[in-house]
Amino acid sequence: MPFNLKQCHYLVTLADCNSFHQAARTLFITQPTLSIAMKKLEQEMGQPLFQKQGRKAQLTPAGRLALSYARKMLQLDRELARELKALRQNSQRDLHIGTYLLFSTLLMPPLLAAIHKSHLPVDLKLHHRHGFELKDALRRGEFDLILCIQDKPDPEFSCVRLKQETLLAILLPDNPCCQQARPLEGLSWPYLTPAALSGETLFLQSPIQQIRHQEDRLLEQGLKPAACKEIASIETALGLAAEGLGISFTMSCYVKALHPAHPVRYFATGNLQEAPWLTLYYRKELEGDPVLETLIHLLREIVQTIL
């Protein structure tokens, strides 16, 4: 015999209110809607459940019997919901991701939204570290996955290359070096040779940052600066360049997260054939983990969309 949860809810509310008018208001439906629903239920059960006495709705013996089962069904539905919620919470696992602070700004909000929409049973824990610290933390088991920029795959870990990155020099638009730039096919930014940047003050990142490895390569490729100053923060180095105090550097994937106070120009530089990759690393024993594979799929889509 059909007896769905909506009918149970209507029946219990009507019995509690003892009035079609009040029950309809409680259920946020019209009184005719409630009357039609109850009449259909009575037809399905083959006997009346209520009898009207003035404005009151009194239960018949069949109505009292149906009411007892309706209450049980609603109670079972609530218990099922609680059990399912507990099951989801118990099966949810913490997943630790290590990455750079700038990537958290760009990628983590859409990733959290994608996890929520996909109902992936994880509680994402984000950690910020500098480049070469990330692999050490992954090796120690502090992270399940790291997102970083690397020159080549590390055979110690499983890896997924997401996107090749370009080192960019940041200059004021009126800097004479800009006149030496040339367009290259397939490149989003005009190209400046390392030698073209010679004679300028350079703002470099600290040695523990991966981008410093790329900056040091420029010095090996013919760049002869007037001076080098070490600035730990890419954003601070950008600010100094935007004030005309020298040249700073960034990776192409960081550009959308940077907001200089004054207009600047970005130029690709360095050896483009050796450009590093934005890479996901995880421990080999996690290969085939369905949750991790789903997370990697989400990250790949977000990187392709945003970066």
Side-chain angles (χ1 to χ4, degrees):
M1 178 183 298
F3 198 32
N4 61 47
L5 289 174
K6 180 184 286 188
Q7 290 173 321
C8 290
H9 190 40
Y10 284 5
L11 177 59
V12 169
T13 303
L14 181 54
D16 289 343
C17 293
N18 200 26
S19 162
F20 275 86
H21 176 70
Q22 185 59 43
R25 292 186 60 183
T26 302
L27 293 165
F28 296 100
I29 60 176
T30 64
Q31 186 170 331
T33 298
L34 178 59
S35 298
I36 292 170
M38 288 297 97
K39 183 174 293 186
K40 182 179 178 182
L41 181 59
E42 288 177 331
Q43 290 173 348
E44 291 169 350
M45 293 193 169
Q47 49 190 313
L49 303 178
F50 291 89
Q51 57 184 8
K52 290 187 177 180
Q53 294 182 351
R55 294 186 175 182
K56 301 296 183 181
Q58 298 294 333
L59 286 164
T60 65
R64 287 192 292 272
L65 180 61
L67 177 64
S68 67
Y69 279 93
R71 292 191 190 279
K72 290 176 183 178
M73 290 177 68
L74 291 175
Q75 178 62 30
L76 286 171
D77 181 62
R78 289 189 290 269
E79 290 177 5
L80 175 61
R82 286 196 298 268
E83 293 291 337
L84 288 173
K85 182 178 180 181
L87 187 62
R88 285 195 301 269
Q89 291 173 340
N90 291 335
S91 63
Q92 190 175 61
R93 60 189 263 202
D94 292 343
L95 200 62
H96 295 264
I97 294 183
T99 189
Y100 313 135
L101 181 59
L102 282 174
F103 280 153
S104 291
T105 303
L106 279 174
L107 302 179
M108 291 306 118
L111 177 59
L112 290 170
I115 288 173
H116 177 74
K117 291 178 182 177
S118 65
H119 304 289
L120 194 64
V122 298
D123 185 9
L124 203 61
K125 307 291 185 182
L126 304 178
H127 307 268
H128 307 138
R129 301 282 176 85
H130 289 303
F132 297 111
E133 296 175 329
L134 288 170
K135 277 190 184 179
D136 289 338
L138 180 64
R139 190 175 292 111
R140 292 192 300 268
E142 296 178 25
F143 302 148
D144 299 292
L145 178 116
I146 62 172
L147 175 65
C148 57
I149 294 173
Q150 295 291 305
D151 292 311
K152 58 184 179 180
D154 188 328
E156 182 180 354
F157 307 105
S158 296
C159 75
V160 179
R161 283 184 160 186
L162 300 177
K163 181 176 178 288
Q164 195 163 24
E165 293 299 325
T166 306
L167 180 66
L168 303 179
I170 305 172
L171 290 78
L172 286 181
D174 59 358
N175 189 306
C177 295
C178 298
Q179 304 303 315
Q180 301 182 55
R182 67 180 191 275
L184 292 180
E185 185 177 354
L187 199 61
S188 301
W189 298 272
Y191 180 78
L192 276 173
T193 66
L197 300 172
S198 295
E200 300 282 339
T201 295
L202 305 183
F203 297 111
L204 308 180
Q205 273 62 64
S206 61
I208 63 171
Q209 293 173 267
Q210 208 281 341
I211 189 175
R212 176 60 179 271
H213 176 59
Q214 308 302 325
E215 293 167 340
D216 287 343
R217 282 181 169 182
L218 296 179
L219 302 177
E220 299 169 359
Q221 294 166 6
L223 196 169
K224 302 185 182 303
C228 290
K229 297 183 179 181
E230 196 169 284
I231 305 292
S233 165
I234 291 177
E235 296 96 324
T236 302
L238 167 66
L240 294 171
E243 295 294 339
L245 300 178
I247 293 175
S248 66
F249 300 91
T250 189
M251 303 305 299
S252 54
C253 55
Y254 296 158
V255 170
K256 290 185 179 179
L258 299 175
H259 306 285
H262 305 294
V264 296
R265 292 190 65 186
Y266 297 93
F267 296 91
T269 190
N271 187 339
L272 299 179
Q273 301 303 316
E274 297 179 357
W277 285 76
L278 180 59
T279 306
L280 288 169
Y281 281 110
Y282 56 98
R283 298 190 306 279
K284 288 184 178 294
E285 61 265 28
L286 293 177
E287 286 183 356
D289 184 302
V291 172
L292 192 64
E293 287 184 347
T294 301
L295 184 71
I296 290 171
H297 173 73
L298 294 175
L299 262 171
R300 189 194 295 272
E301 288 188 337
I302 290 168
V303 165
Q304 291 174 349
T305 302
I306 295 179
L307 301 183

